[in-house]
Amino acid sequence: MINKSLKELAALLAAKQISSVELTREFLARIARLNPTINAFVTLDEERTLAQARAADERIAKGEAAPLTGIPIAQKDIFAAHGWRTTCGSRMLENFIAPYDAHIVQEFDRAGAVNLGRTNMDEFAMGSSNETSHYGKVRNPWDVERVPGGSSGGSAAAVAARMCPAATGTDTGGSIRQPASLCGLSGLKPTYGVCSRYGLVAFASSLDQAGPMAKSAEDLALMMNVMAGFDPRDSTSLPREKEDYARDLGKSLAGLRIGLPREYFAEGLDSGVAQVVQNAIAEYRKLGAQIVEISLPNNKLSIPVYYVLAPAEASSNLARFDGVRYGYRAPEYADLNDMYCKTRAQGFGAEVKRRIMIGTYVLSAGYYDAYYLKAQKIRRLIAQDFVEAFKHCDVIMGPTAPGTAFKFGEKTADPVQMYLEDLYTIAVNLAGLPGMSIPAGFAGNLPVGLQIIGNYFDEAKMLNIGHALQQQTDWHLRLPEGV
Ligand code: GLN
């Protein structure tokens, strides 16, 4: 049961071979057994979850099921969900019960999916290892001494350990793709504006995007069919027709032009990862694709640019956590100013404070032109690189992350080492493009992801490209030992 695709689960539910309550209980039992080690979930509410499962069973009985009705889905703890504690990995929101639903939570509810629980994450989605969560680190099911990646590491570990069939994530600079790579999953960051950010706790609003994490590309397509779509409550949501993300699955790849950026196969890339990526590309050649060498000359600037722009936006977004409106408030203080200072000093962790300080600095009078404005200009050049590249190829492929899952503590002492984890993912967010990671093999017994970057709104095409590899290989179905 645990390794079945969403489509297979839906078929079992439709045929009444299993009920949603039974299926949900099976995953809840796995969570009870595995979560004490993995720490992928921060909040569970069995009663609420099972009530949804019962409602789904009634809907199925009435013949009114949608494709995901009755299927349990885990939600990253960044999406407001009415009545659920929504912590965003922070002490600041430790006791915050969301009074409304994020758009995508609402869409999953409408589809009849079952909300299985809330997954752990780096605090305010800042991190690449899930070590910054106030609720403790998440362990990688492939090796519990190693990180699952971040910031959607709880969702990634939950799917990898088959504690849920699929989960949601968010990706500001790589937070869906990098943990998907490190945990052996498929994950998609859609084109900016495709999934509504309404009810998603804001980190860097011009980069944040919600997306699905699951075993296969086909499962991602079914998740996208629920998550994507216009929402007037998010001013950056794009008014586009609803589309079927599974519509291209099974199409031939003959003649597909795959661009390999020279800069992605250079210094900094682990040789084992490079080998896995090359093998996957060889597989695509067999499927009829052609390889084109391309260049993304400004890629090397993407990390410095991101670490000016993302903290700038974060410093402004996180100003709302002031101890007045909602969230944590320091228990003792002398006056209003002291209350602000103590609340923020106690409520935020070290990485979040680092970002707020950098962000405030780069936006301050006298430094704005030198840092923020300069970074915005380079952001445009980075986006322009992709426009140029897509004149010569249909999709871009390369590694998702420079290495495999690393040990706890290995990169915490030096933030810059941690930031380099997103060397191949951040430019995609800066340009607003869709990016996906799919499992492509192993290096030293640890999963390795292949990144597929598409042009704007090419998600359906990318999902088919991922699906095609998954028809030839079984990397996406491998299970970590002990799971
Ligand atoms: N690792 C990056 C950061 O720390 C990206 C995080 C994300 O995508 N949310 O900001």
Side-chain angles (χ1 to χ4, degrees):
M1 194 61 65
I2 59 162
N3 223 11
K4 293 224 184 299
S5 69
L6 296 184
K7 210 164 139 185
E8 287 166 336
L9 291 175
L12 289 173
L13 287 165
K16 312 228 167 39
Q17 286 180 8
I18 190 164
S19 69
S20 173
V21 169
E22 286 163 346
L23 186 63
T24 302
R25 280 195 197 281
E26 179 156 344
F27 283 107
L28 286 172
R30 290 184 64 75
I31 294 171
R33 180 161 67 82
L34 297 169
N35 203 50
T37 319
I38 305 291
N39 198 29
F41 285 86
V42 282
T43 305
L44 295 159
D45 185 339
E46 280 206 25
E47 222 168 282
R48 216 171 250 280
T49 297
L50 288 168
Q52 271 194 314
R54 276 191 292 275
D57 280 330
E58 281 167 31
R59 187 165 160 181
I60 295 167
K62 281 194 232 152
E64 289 167 4
L68 296 191
T69 304
I71 295 181
I73 303 287
Q75 297 282 7
K76 184 175 180 178
D77 208 14
I78 198 169
F79 296 104
H82 186 211
W84 286 82
R85 189 168 77 124
T86 301
T87 74
C88 215
S90 183
R91 181 181 193 192
M92 195 54 101
L93 291 172
E94 192 162 18
N95 298 314
F96 177 68
I97 309 280
Y100 69 104
D101 279 328
H103 179 76
I104 71 141
V105 169
Q106 210 171 44
E107 291 298 302
F108 277 109
D109 281 354
R110 267 192 337 129
V114 175
N115 189 344
L116 197 53
R118 316 277 307 167
T119 58
N120 207 344
M121 55 182 285
D122 277 305
E123 186 177 7
F124 286 106
M126 297 171 190
S128 297
S129 67
N130 244 282
E131 292 168 290
T132 73
S133 170
H134 176 64
Y135 305 94
K137 61 191 175 201
V138 177
R139 293 178 184 272
N140 190 321
W142 290 93
D143 178 346
V144 294
E145 298 310 322
R146 291 175 189 269
V147 306
S151 65
S152 313
S155 288
V159 179
R162 305 299 191 250
M163 290 191 257
C164 60
T168 55
T170 59
D171 191 311
T172 304
S175 278
I176 288 177
R177 290 161 289 159
Q178 185 256 12
S181 177
L182 270 47
C183 288
L185 312 177
S186 305
L188 172 69
K189 181 206 93 76
T191 306
Y192 182 78
V194 160
C195 289
S196 168
R197 291 183 296 107
Y198 178 78
L200 188 172
V201 180
F203 161 14
S205 308
S206 78
L207 301 157
D208 296 341
Q209 191 52 206
M213 305 177 80
K215 296 186 281 289
S216 66
E218 183 192 58
D219 285 359
L220 295 180
L222 296 181
M223 294 277 285
M224 280 297 286
N225 282 350
V226 173
M227 296 172 73
F230 176 61
D231 171 19
R233 296 169 299 183
D234 168 4
S235 61
T236 59
S237 170
L238 295 164
R240 292 168 55 83
E241 292 288 310
K242 267 271 187 196
E243 54 180 292
D244 175 12
Y245 288 93
R247 67 182 184 274
D248 283 351
L249 300 184
K251 280 198 182 157
S252 161
L253 300 190
L256 178 80
R257 294 169 306 161
I258 298 177
L260 301 186
R262 205 174 302 142
E263 294 79 6
Y264 281 20
F265 297 89
E267 203 196 318
L269 180 62
D270 173 87
S271 61
V273 171
Q275 191 54 54
V276 168
V277 170
Q278 291 300 351
N279 293 348
I281 288 159
E283 204 61 49
Y284 279 110
R285 254 186 227 265
K286 283 195 226 154
L287 292 169
Q290 302 162 17
I291 307 303
V292 193
E293 197 188 73
I294 57 159
S295 175
L296 299 171
N298 292 300
N299 188 64
K300 58 180 182 300
L301 298 174
S302 59
I303 292 187
V305 163
Y306 173 92
Y307 280 99
V308 170
L309 297 181
E313 295 188 29
S315 73
S316 137
N317 273 328
L318 271 57
R320 72 190 69 174
F321 301 104
D322 56 5
V324 175
R325 280 166 278 205
Y326 50 87
Y328 180 79
R329 178 187 293 181
E332 282 168 43
Y333 45 87
D335 54 25
L336 182 63
N337 254 332
D338 192 42
M339 189 278 284
Y340 289 149
C341 292
K342 291 215 167 83
T343 293
R344 289 167 67 82
Q346 294 164 15
F348 290 136
E351 183 61 26
V352 173
K353 287 179 195 157
R354 181 178 296 129
R355 307 264 180 129
I356 291 173
M357 284 194 283
I358 295 172
T360 309
Y361 177 77
V362 300
L363 288 174
S364 59
Y367 296 102
Y368 178 91
D369 288 353
Y371 296 105
Y372 184 77
L373 197 62
K374 189 64 142 259
Q376 289 290 27
K377 290 178 181 174
I378 303 171
R379 178 177 189 174
R380 171 49 61 123
L381 294 178
I382 290 168
Q384 203 55 39
D385 279 358
F386 285 103
V387 171
E388 198 46 49
F390 282 121
K391 289 181 184 160
H392 309 284
C393 62
D394 304 307
V395 285
I396 295 170
M397 287 191 189
T400 303
T404 51
F406 47 92
K407 292 231 163 89
F408 290 109
E410 207 175 305
K411 303 193 182 196
T412 37
D414 180 359
V416 176
Q417 278 309 311
M418 191 70 89
Y419 298 167
L420 283 170
E421 269 299 292
D422 296 315
L423 184 56
Y424 311 119
T425 49
I426 276 180
V428 172
N429 300 72
L430 290 168
L433 289 165
M436 180 166 87
S437 181
I438 54 166
F442 290 82
N445 293 325
L446 293 166
V448 173
L450 168 75
Q451 187 175 205
I452 303 174
I453 301 166
N455 214 335
Y456 300 104
F457 310 113
D458 272 351
E459 286 85 354
K461 186 203 280 183
M462 295 156 65
L463 288 162
N464 177 42
I465 294 168
H467 181 66
L469 187 74
Q470 293 175 343
Q471 297 301 102
Q472 305 297 320
T473 60
D474 69 350
W475 306 119
H476 61 297
L477 296 176
R478 303 280 180 96
L479 281 170
E481 246 172 75
V483 158

